[in-house]
Each structure stands twice: as C-alpha cells, then as structure tokens.
Amino acid sequence: MSYKSAKAVFESVIDSIKQEGLFKEERFIASPQGGTVAVRFPEDAPEKRIINLCANNYLGLSSHPDIVQAAHEGLESRGYGMSSVRFICGTQDIHRQLERKVSEFLGMEDTCLFASCFDANAAVFEALLTPEDALFCDKLIHASLIDGVRLCKAQRNVYTHSDMNELEEMLSKSTARIKLIVTDGVFSMDGDMAKLDQICDLADKYEAMVLVDESHSSGFIGKTGRGTHEHFNVMNRVDIITTTFGKALGGATGGCVSGKKEVVTLMKQRARPYLFSNSLMPAVVTATIKVLDVLSASTERRDKLETHTKYWREELTKAGFDLKPGNTPIVPIMLYDANLAQAFSRDLYDAGVFAVGFFYPVVPKGEARIRTQLSAALEKEDLDKALAEFIRIGKKHNVIK
Ligand SMILES: *Cc1c(COP(=O)(O)O)cnc(C)c1O
C-alpha cells in the first residue's frame, strides 16, 4: 500500500481517536518551567500566566538559578555536544563524576548513565537476562519497563497491582535461574507506592533480585529524598534502581541504571541504548551534579513539597473529591469519563489552572482523571487559588455537591 492509500487508513484511526474524546492537544509554554507558567492555547491565542499543577518539577529545580548556572559552566568548560557514544570518545571526566554522585545519593555500588530512563529501562533486562531467567512484574509498571521486558527473552510473570500473595505464588512456583522482581517505586498514574518492604522480604525468601524504577521518587521520597527504598528502610536490599534526571532532579534529560557493580559493568558492555546512542550533553551532566549537591546539603525543598502534598490531599478530600489513595505528590482526581476529564481540564485552564486530563491509553478505559502534581515551586496561595477553582468547576460538572 502506497502513502496515497495508507493516508485513508491513518485518517480513520485519527478520526476514531477524536470521536472517543481521546485526542490530546498540546499547550504551548512561552516561559521557563515553574510554579506558574506563561501559556498560549491555541497557538495564536494571547499569553496567559497560569498555576502549574502538572509538571514533574517536584522540587522546583527545573529553572533554579544555581542549576542554570551549573549548566552554563558545563557548556563553557566542556562544550555543547559530545558527538560520540560513551565507549568511543564520549566519556568526559564529568560523566564519571556524575555516575559516582548518583551511586552515592542512591546508596548503590555503581551507575551507568543513559540518554533517558526510557532507554535505561529498554536496556536493562536484555543486557542481563536469558530464557533461563524470569521476571515478576507489577501489572502497572511504566510503559518503558514493559517495552524493556518485551525486548528480553526471560520468562514473564505479571502480578495484579501490589498483590503480594500473587507475587509469592509466582515466585514459589518458579524454577528459573535468576528471578527478578520489577516494580515502580511510586506509580506514576495512581501516585501510590510499591510495598517495597514486603517485596524485599519475598525476594529474600525466594532468592530473587529486586529492580525498582524510582523516576517518580528520586529526590523527594524518603526522609532525605533518596527514594522509596529509603522510605521503607530497605536501602541495602534493592539490587537495581533505574531513575530519570528528567523529573525532580533538574528536569532536563537523562537517566541511569544504578546497582551492583557487575550489573553496571554488564550495562556498559551489553546495553544497546548505551552502546548505540549519544552520550549525555555536558551541560546536563554538570547541572545534574549540582542538583545532587543541593539535595544532599538540605531537605528544605522536599519538606516543603511534603507539606504541600498533605494540604492539597486534605483539602480536596474535604471538598468531596474522589482521590486515588496515597501519600505522594501525585494526586489523581478521579472523574472516570474521558470527555468529562477534557472538559474539566479546559475549564481549569480558562480559570488559570494548568492540570491535564488523563485517559486511555495512558490509563485504562473508564478510569479517566485529572492528575495533579505538587511542586516546591508552588506557594500556598497558588494551592488555595487552584483549590477554589477545582471546587467551583467540580460543582458545575456535578462531580461534587
Ligand atoms: C518518566 C518515567 C520514565 C521515563 O523517563 P525519561 O527519562 O523521561 O525517559 C521511566 N519510568 C517511569 C516510572 C517514569 O515515570
């Protein structure tokens, strides 16, 4: 089929996405990322300052002057691009420095950088496992972990979300060589945490390894922000962590696999996105080093985020909204219907609040929601203003009384 005929096929798919109310439209931001942003929507509309409740900028570091300064320094001292993969001529001293810093921050032996956490997750399983081995995955793991699992030949077991009995049953029956349990630390769509203490207990009992994706935890979950493993006091019982620098840790780009020495060595020998994709930009490397220094020196930002999170969850619950239960800065307000989620989000936007509707395929059909995310870049006044609009619009759509 040539493009001339394929065009009709593509058009009918696009039409059905639109008809189901699932078509996503992008808003155009004309300012740095922050607690408020200047947005144009549609593209030719005038600019408008709105409160941002949907960034992964948990710690407010995405446009922090010290981080921007550190990126400038990287640009000046090490140039713009590497024009090479790591193993040819793309490893600078700062890449290795960042790997050491990340290992120290996460409490792991060593770290291997990737262009993104998506790449890290796509890489990690294929580089380690064979058909003799087995994976035990939570049903709700991130799309990139699912893709990574698809790329490897190990046996696959998927347990119902956070169902420890089912996980135990699967582990007890398995005769695989290496057993690897795979979970998100904080689940991005629901904002709940994996039961990491129980997962580590099961791993001990059945001699399995544990991999946790900490993309929505690194920097702010746990007393000093090391992640879910710190929160559950299992810092030395997790074997492999994958995480991103594209969320709380400055929000630019980049990710990593951190863990046991041999695991990291194998990444650098075998991981295809490591071997065949360009090294991280030096400015990102120096800025991420700075982020880890800032976070190691003080928990002020993560503490502010925690206060915001408690307040926001309490006030929305009091107002009568149906929230997914949890205790992380991801606070999903359940609306169930995709069209309602779109309309709610548009009304919020008109009222100066930026919070996007989530619906199929990023969440299951019939589970549409507005996902709000807190940030240390927000102030209490921002939350109060946003809350008043949520209540007004919630009443308008008969979501609350
Ligand atoms: C965002 C996210 C990723 C992808 O991270 P990038 O660095 O943006 O590719 C991977 N896993 C989880 C759980 C995420 O939330």
Side-chain angles (χ1 to χ4, degrees):
M1 202 185 259
S2 69
Y3 175 63
K4 229 172 132 190
S5 320
K7 184 172 168 23
V9 176
F10 300 149
E11 275 172 349
S12 85
V13 176
I14 293 166
D15 279 347
S16 69
I17 295 172
K18 285 185 176 163
Q19 259 160 30
E20 288 181 73
L22 301 177
F23 197 82
K24 291 184 280 303
E25 286 170 323
E26 294 177 359
R27 270 78 162 165
F28 303 98
I29 298 177
S31 70
Q33 188 62 274
T36 65
V37 283
V39 181
R40 281 187 269 122
F41 181 72
E43 199 175 357
D44 52 4
E47 236 173 76
K48 197 169 136 168
R49 265 272 147 201
I50 60 176
I51 296 167
N52 192 356
L53 288 177
C54 52
N56 298 315
N57 182 22
Y58 294 109
L59 297 169
L61 294 172
S62 303
S63 311
H64 188 281
D66 293 351
I67 307 307
V68 173
Q69 176 61 30
H72 276 295
E73 282 163 16
L75 205 50
E76 291 301 324
S77 68
R78 294 293 188 284
Y80 171 68
M82 287 309 302
S83 304
S84 173
V85 299
R86 286 286 298 276
F87 84 94
I88 301 178
C89 58
T91 300
Q92 288 176 330
D93 50 353
I94 52 173
H95 288 94
R96 193 60 195 140
Q97 267 171 40
L98 176 58
E99 288 176 338
R100 290 210 186 90
K101 281 250 178 226
V102 171
S103 308
E104 195 184 317
F105 188 78
L106 297 176
M108 304 306 255
E109 288 178 10
D110 202 359
T111 297
C112 173
L113 303 178
F114 285 87
S116 68
C117 187
F118 203 110
D119 273 352
N121 288 339
V124 63
F125 305 108
E126 192 194 20
L128 295 176
L129 306 178
T130 74
E132 283 180 85
D133 307 316
L135 291 158
F136 302 83
C137 308
D138 189 287
K139 178 100 188 348
L140 293 190
I141 53 172
H142 191 259
S144 53
L145 288 167
I146 293 174
D147 284 6
V149 167
R150 282 182 184 150
L151 287 170
C152 106
K153 297 201 166 62
Q155 304 148 38
R156 293 170 205 173
N157 304 275
V158 178
Y159 58 92
T160 308
H161 178 51
S162 282
D163 185 336
M164 296 295 106
N165 293 328
E166 196 177 348
L167 172 59
E168 174 154 25
E169 198 181 309
M170 287 171 171
L171 286 167
S172 68
K173 283 187 187 144
S174 173
T175 56
R177 184 185 63 165
I178 297 170
K179 299 176 203 162
L180 179 59
I181 304 171
V182 181
T183 185
D184 289 17
V186 169
F187 289 88
S188 53
M189 291 302 145
D190 289 1
D192 59 330
M193 284 189 212
K195 297 170 181 166
L196 209 51
D197 47 351
Q198 296 179 45
I199 287 174
C200 288
D201 288 346
L202 289 176
D204 284 350
K205 185 166 171 192
Y206 296 100
E207 301 193 327
M209 292 174 58
V210 178
L211 179 148
V212 188
D213 180 337
E214 290 278 79
S215 293
H216 283 283
S217 342
S218 293
F220 57 96
I221 298 289
K223 233 174 33 242
T224 65
R226 307 303 155 123
T228 322
H229 61 333
E230 183 184 33
H231 175 88
F232 284 105
N233 199 20
V234 291
M235 273 193 84
N236 49 5
R237 296 171 67 195
V238 169
D239 303 288
I240 306 171
I241 285 177
T242 64
T243 194
T244 182
F245 309 140
K247 292 190 168 105
L249 303 181
T253 187
C256 66
V257 170
S258 195
K260 300 288 186 234
K261 218 171 54 198
E262 302 75 17
V263 167
V264 172
T265 302
L266 271 178
M267 288 304 121
K268 295 193 172 184
Q269 300 303 314
R270 290 272 174 81
R272 293 166 66 82
Y274 184 82
L275 296 173
F276 298 105
S277 187
N278 201 32
S279 315
L280 270 189
M281 172 185 194
V284 168
V285 176
T286 52
T288 310
I289 290 173
K290 181 70 183 177
V291 166
L292 294 174
D293 286 342
V294 167
L295 297 185
S296 302
S298 156
T299 60
E300 195 184 322
R301 288 174 176 275
R302 83 57 64 228
D303 298 344
K304 182 177 178 189
L305 176 62
E306 189 173 67
T307 306
H308 279 350
T309 299
K310 280 199 182 125
Y311 182 69
W312 185 243
R313 276 189 182 274
E314 275 166 23
E315 293 300 313
L316 286 174
T317 305
K318 252 192 256 167
F321 284 104
D322 176 10
L323 308 184
K324 280 265 180 196
N327 54 353
T328 73
I330 298 173
V331 184
I333 297 151
M334 299 306 292
L335 299 172
Y336 302 100
D337 179 77
N339 282 306
L340 174 59
Q342 296 255 49
F344 206 111
S345 171
R346 269 194 300 273
D347 285 350
L348 284 170
Y349 181 81
D350 289 340
V353 180
F354 197 5
V356 175
F358 279 58
F359 36 83
Y360 184 82
V362 291
V363 296
K365 283 191 176 159
E367 288 203 31
R369 65 197 67 182
I370 302 273
R371 184 182 74 172
T372 57
Q373 291 167 283
L374 284 312
S375 167
L378 293 161
E379 299 305 333
K380 180 150 181 302
E381 304 83 82
D382 299 322
L383 296 184
D384 285 332
K385 172 157 189 263
L387 183 68
E389 297 302 343
F390 266 91
I391 291 172
R392 186 180 61 77
I393 296 162
K395 285 180 179 162
K396 174 185 156 188
H397 290 285
N398 287 319
V399 172
I400 54 167
K401 288 198 202 80

